[in-house]
Amino acid sequence: MIVVLNRDISAAEFDQLADRLQQHRLGFHRLALGGKQGLSIPEIPEGFDVRQLQMLDGVQEVFEINEPYKLASRRWKKEATRFEVNGVEIGGPAVNIVAGPCAVENEDQVFAVAEFLHRHHIKFIRGGAYKPRTSPYAFQGLKTAGLKILRKAADAYKLRVVTEVLDVSLLDEACEYADILQTGTRNMSNFYLLSAIGKRNKPVLLKRGMASRITEWLMAAEYILSGGNDKVILCERGIRTFDDLVRNTLDIAAFPIVKELSHLPVWSDPSHGTGLRNRVAPMALASIAAGADGLIMEMHPNPEAALSDGPQSLYPEQLGDLLRQLSPVAAVLGRPLDCAEMVHQPMA
Ligand code: PEP
Ligand code: MN
């Protein structure tokens, strides 16, 4: 049971309410998000008439949310979550576009990408400075030096940085350089990291665990939201299935399902969702048609030489072509791309 409190509930009214709940042996958790406050009462004893709660001072509304996630639920908040990242709206009508290499490799690479993005009016650059690799012998990222390169290129070309934070010990540093923190698929169940991010006032792109149910993914979002950070973007990046012709299976059905269950924006990562660059465009188009609010895609000036995820990285001109295809598909749904004023020029 959820009890929504009046926004101006006084401390005295709250204490009285807490006393009454205690008298009835009703345990509760406090919920707070974006100025809205409430209580979640996990168990209602037999015979207790919940209408009694409605009568108490300070109570605005009482209703049920059966799902284990509360703050992430559409029942808690009906209107879609929208917020700005340095002047660009997330979760609004415009479809957000993010592109960049899997890993930051050197300054030339990142500046070439940033210049291309800028010319196409793309507002966000992605790139990993700390890479969660399956093999300890694979390139692990340039770490702090990589974050500095990303920031420098982003500032030079007026871009916003999306980059992964791998561990709670790296959170301060990530917050210093990133505009949006990314949590990777392998960390979706790192609840300690999610809680720590919940206490920061930084937008976060929460990737779905590769073997996680949608409910578990929304519970991961709940960890961040319950800390007070309401700037959460969900990101479908493909799940493990039995098929071995794709790296992952991008779960297209997740978009309408998440939209129904939650108010949070949901993006698609068709690069990790397929693993091969020729499959990125069709899945990007399908994602937008299915209701995704944004796309995050890997591109590289020279994918053959990429130090990670080369096979799924788009050539720059492929990204340009894809934007041209995406634009009318999004338009049918009444959605412009956030880089709508793009001009198409080949990479220098
Ligand atoms: C990435 O975005 O480069 C990445 C490692 O993503 P994921 O966590 O989805 O595998
Ligand atoms: Mn990658």
Side-chain angles (χ1 to χ4, degrees):
M1 191 63 57
I2 300 295
V3 177
V4 179
L5 305 177
N6 288 336
R7 277 183 188 256
D8 56 357
I9 186 170
S10 66
E13 280 174 334
F14 185 86
D15 290 346
Q16 202 180 24
L17 181 59
D19 281 349
R20 291 295 289 276
L21 295 175
Q22 237 154 26
Q23 279 165 22
H24 291 290
R25 297 181 196 288
L26 292 167
F28 64 86
H29 304 288
R30 285 193 82 155
L31 303 174
L33 199 66
K36 187 168 170 179
Q37 287 197 69
L39 305 174
S40 167
I41 303 175
E43 274 175 66
I44 303 290
E46 277 282 306
F48 179 78
D49 183 350
V50 292
R51 282 172 303 184
Q52 289 184 53
L53 296 172
Q54 186 75 69
M55 313 301 286
L56 298 176
D57 287 342
V59 171
Q60 189 189 84
E61 205 186 346
V62 179
F63 57 86
E64 273 204 76
I65 301 181
N66 292 326
E67 294 78 19
Y69 49 88
K70 312 293 177 194
L71 297 171
S73 168
R74 274 260 179 213
R75 300 266 297 133
W76 170 261
K77 181 170 178 274
K78 286 173 189 54
E79 64 286 1
T81 285
R82 296 161 78 147
F83 54 89
E84 279 197 7
V85 177
N86 297 344
V88 180
E89 191 180 38
I90 308 282
V95 170
N96 299 115
I97 304 289
V98 184
C102 178
V104 173
E105 296 168 7
N106 55 60
E107 200 164 307
D108 286 351
Q109 172 224 24
V110 177
F111 269 74
V113 169
E115 193 272 336
F116 179 89
L117 300 181
H118 176 75
R119 252 188 306 124
H120 287 72
H121 298 273
I122 293 177
K123 310 285 189 291
F124 297 90
I125 186 167
R126 63 144 291 147
Y130 291 85
K131 294 305 303 174
R133 304 305 298 278
T134 306
S135 165
Y137 310 117
F139 176 59
Q140 303 288 310
L142 297 182
K143 307 191 168 73
T144 309
L147 291 174
K148 288 189 173 156
I149 293 173
L150 262 181
R151 189 71 263 165
K152 193 171 156 190
D155 289 347
Y157 288 101
K158 295 196 173 63
L159 299 165
R160 292 134 198 92
V161 168
V162 183
T163 196
E164 179 165 354
V165 54
L166 268 190
D167 186 75
V168 77
S169 64
L170 304 168
L171 188 52
D172 283 340
E173 187 187 53
C175 287
E176 191 182 331
Y177 293 102
D179 297 298
I180 299 182
L181 302 171
Q182 175 179 322
T183 53
T185 191
R186 294 159 187 82
N187 262 327
M188 195 210 80
S189 307
N190 184 343
F191 303 123
Y192 192 68
L193 174 63
L194 301 179
S195 297
I197 291 174
K199 297 195 186 80
R200 304 295 176 115
N201 184 26
K202 266 281 175 194
V204 52
L205 182 71
L206 173 67
K207 291 224 183 172
R208 180 178 180 180
M210 62 180 88
S212 296
R213 296 192 165 120
I214 292 173
T215 302
E216 292 165 329
W217 186 21
L218 292 171
M219 287 307 288
E222 192 80 7
Y223 265 94
I224 301 170
L225 297 171
S226 61
N229 184 348
D230 55 357
K231 298 190 176 80
V232 178
I233 308 160
L234 300 164
C235 181
E236 164 60 41
R237 51 77 69 203
I239 49 174
R240 280 271 165 89
T241 62
F242 46 79
D243 208 309
D244 56 2
L245 293 183
V246 279
R247 180 178 180 189
N248 292 293
T249 298
L250 190 74
D251 182 6
I252 295 282
F255 300 113
I257 294 172
V258 166
K259 287 269 145 204
E260 188 184 309
L261 297 178
S262 180
H263 51 85
L264 295 172
V266 55
W267 287 4
S268 172
D269 174 349
S271 307
H272 294 88
T274 61
L276 278 177
R277 73 175 68 84
N278 289 345
R279 302 198 176 122
V280 170
M283 294 313 266
L285 291 161
S287 299
I288 297 308
D293 298 299
L295 292 166
I296 177 164
M297 295 173 288
E298 291 187 338
M299 61 88 82
H300 195 287
N302 182 8
E304 278 73 31
L307 296 181
S308 78
D309 285 349
Q312 69 192 33
S313 298
L314 296 173
Y315 292 100
E317 53 279 12
Q318 277 184 310
L319 179 59
D321 289 345
L322 175 55
L323 294 177
R324 273 187 288 277
Q325 294 179 331
L326 279 167
S327 197
V329 171
V332 166
L333 300 166
R335 310 190 73 170
L337 303 185
D338 72 353
C339 55
E341 64 276 57
M342 65 194 171
V343 285
H344 304 292
Q345 291 169 30
M347 192 150 187

